[in-house]
Amino acid sequence: MPNNSFIFIDKQSELEKAAEAMAACKVLCVDTEFHRESTYYPEFALLQIYGNGQCWIIDPIKLPDLKPVWDLMGNPDILKVFHAAHQDVEIILKESGNMPLPLFDTQVAAALLGYGQQVGFGNLVQRVTKKLLPKGESFTDWKARPLTPKQLTYAADDVIWLMPVFQHLQERLEATGRTSWLQEEQTRLSDKNTYDNDESEIFWRVKGGSKLKGKHLSALRELAAWRERGAKSRNIPRRRMMADEPLVEIARRDTLSRETMQRMRGINDGFIKRFGAEVTAAWQKGIEASEDTWPKMAPRRHNTRGTDLRLEMLDTLVRLKAEEGEIASAILANKSDLSELASWGYRCKGDTPELACLHGWRYELVGHDLIRLLRGEICLHINPQTGFPEITPITQNSAT
């Protein structure tokens, strides 16, 4: 069982001593506590690390210089373990400039082993170790000082119980030959560029933007980039800079004036006085951009004869493969990808679509058979003895 004790560190000398002990670990379980409700960048409030039976809770508010620990995060000889790593890695990268590599994300590993695509940490701990973690501090104020014993215990549990979960998942990945799958899935997490929002691409995430096209989508691109720069420079949430709804409303206009903006909900006179000229300039840049620079939406595939039936067959095959492999079906192939594949499968001509399920380990597990099913090389049937669906190759004799 894990050691539930921890050392709270808020002095530089204690941090340096702890870093020496951490440097002797081959594996460090890492977690952070932060707030992001009122800022663009996360407000870093606590750092928890566990290794070799010891837990350290580090106070970054009292200790602004965490270089001894940040150096360890960049040590390639120490494996850093996280659960749902993205935001923790984002904080470490921003604070230290180091990517915590190599890393192991237990949420990703769990998805590859049938625990669900985005299983929560408490749920995973309970299923692996039978330990029920308390939830009382889920919405606590981590910036408040002093931290209470309950807060510290809750924070410590997040890394103390991460170790047995990691060990269990690592053993299962090795036993099932899926360790390489994890590395493939973590490629994006391990890429520094993942944590730098591309201003020119952020418009794809604007709610309601998919309704626009052509020059109006071009305007949205420029407006979203303007908002992103403003939110970053002021360290405020995007919605505080400007909400999605008025952003889309402005982008869809063929003409724009101060009076037009005054009639829009979500835009007041103070905003127009301060930012009206900038918004107009961004909108105009997008509207007047040459057609060859307009954002290109992914082409929609026309519904073809039998597409719905093919989609049902493809989905059945995916669920069958997921059950055989004890893996969540959603991580093998999502409905959007299957729908595109079903449409392509009307004639199976031309290059196969660029879909995740047709690459890497997914192709080996299910993608190859999806193509074979569409081409009539295999079939699905019910085994009369078991009552379960099975996959059978179609030979020339069986076809006739």
Side-chain angles (χ1 to χ4, degrees), residues 24-76:
C25 301
K26 293 295 184 183
V27 178
L28 291 175
C29 294
V30 185
D31 188 37
T32 62
E33 305 298 344
F34 58 90
H35 294 275
R36 203 171 196 165
E37 292 81 6
S38 59
T39 59
Y40 180 90
Y41 297 104
E43 296 181 280
F44 184 29
L46 209 62
L47 174 65
Q48 307 98 280
I49 301 177
Y50 180 89
N52 285 355
Q54 181 60 61
C55 177
W56 300 272
I57 299 181
I58 301 167
D59 187 349
I61 295 177
K62 295 287 186 65
L63 288 167
D65 182 11
L66 302 185
K67 187 177 185 304
V69 171
W70 295 147
D71 288 345
L72 294 174
M73 293 295 105
N75 187 334

Side-chain angles (χ1 to χ4, degrees), residues 117 185 311 314-319 321-322 327-341 355-359 361-363 365-368 370:
Q117 194 166 11
E185 290 301 290
L311 178 58
L314 294 176
D315 185 56
T316 300
L317 177 59
V318 169
R319 287 187 283 119
K321 288 289 186 177
I327 186 171
S329 61
I331 200 172
L332 285 182
N334 60 46
K335 292 299 176 65
S336 176
D337 285 356
L338 289 181
S339 180
E340 185 170 351
L341 192 57
L355 305 173
C357 62
L358 302 183
H359 292 278
W361 65 267
R362 289 180 176 85
Y363 179 77
L365 189 64
V366 72
H368 181 55
L370 289 172

Side-chain angles (χ1 to χ4, degrees), residues 260-284:
T260 302
M261 283 191 276
Q262 285 177 327
R263 294 194 295 270
M264 292 182 186
R265 288 186 298 174
I267 300 179
N268 57 41
D269 287 339
F271 176 90
I272 296 172
K273 183 177 180 180
R274 188 175 182 186
F275 299 117
E278 295 179 23
V279 169
T280 301
W283 169 84
Q284 188 170 7

Side-chain angles (χ1 to χ4, degrees), residues 238-294:
R238 297 182 188 98
R239 67 180 183 277
R240 285 260 307 273
M241 191 69 193
M242 191 177 192
D244 283 358
E245 290 81 359
L247 204 70
V248 173
E249 181 64 19
I250 289 174
R252 76 177 185 85
R253 297 282 174 164
D254 289 319
T255 60
L256 185 65
S257 66
R258 182 186 182 93
E259 292 73 22
T260 302
M261 283 191 276
Q262 285 177 327
R263 294 194 295 270
M264 292 182 186
R265 288 186 298 174
I267 300 179
N268 57 41
D269 287 339
F271 176 90
I272 296 172
K273 183 177 180 180
R274 188 175 182 186
F275 299 117
E278 295 179 23
V279 169
T280 301
W283 169 84
Q284 188 170 7
K285 181 180 178 181
I287 287 291
E288 295 179 354
S290 59
E291 185 173 346
D292 62 332
T293 68
W294 291 350

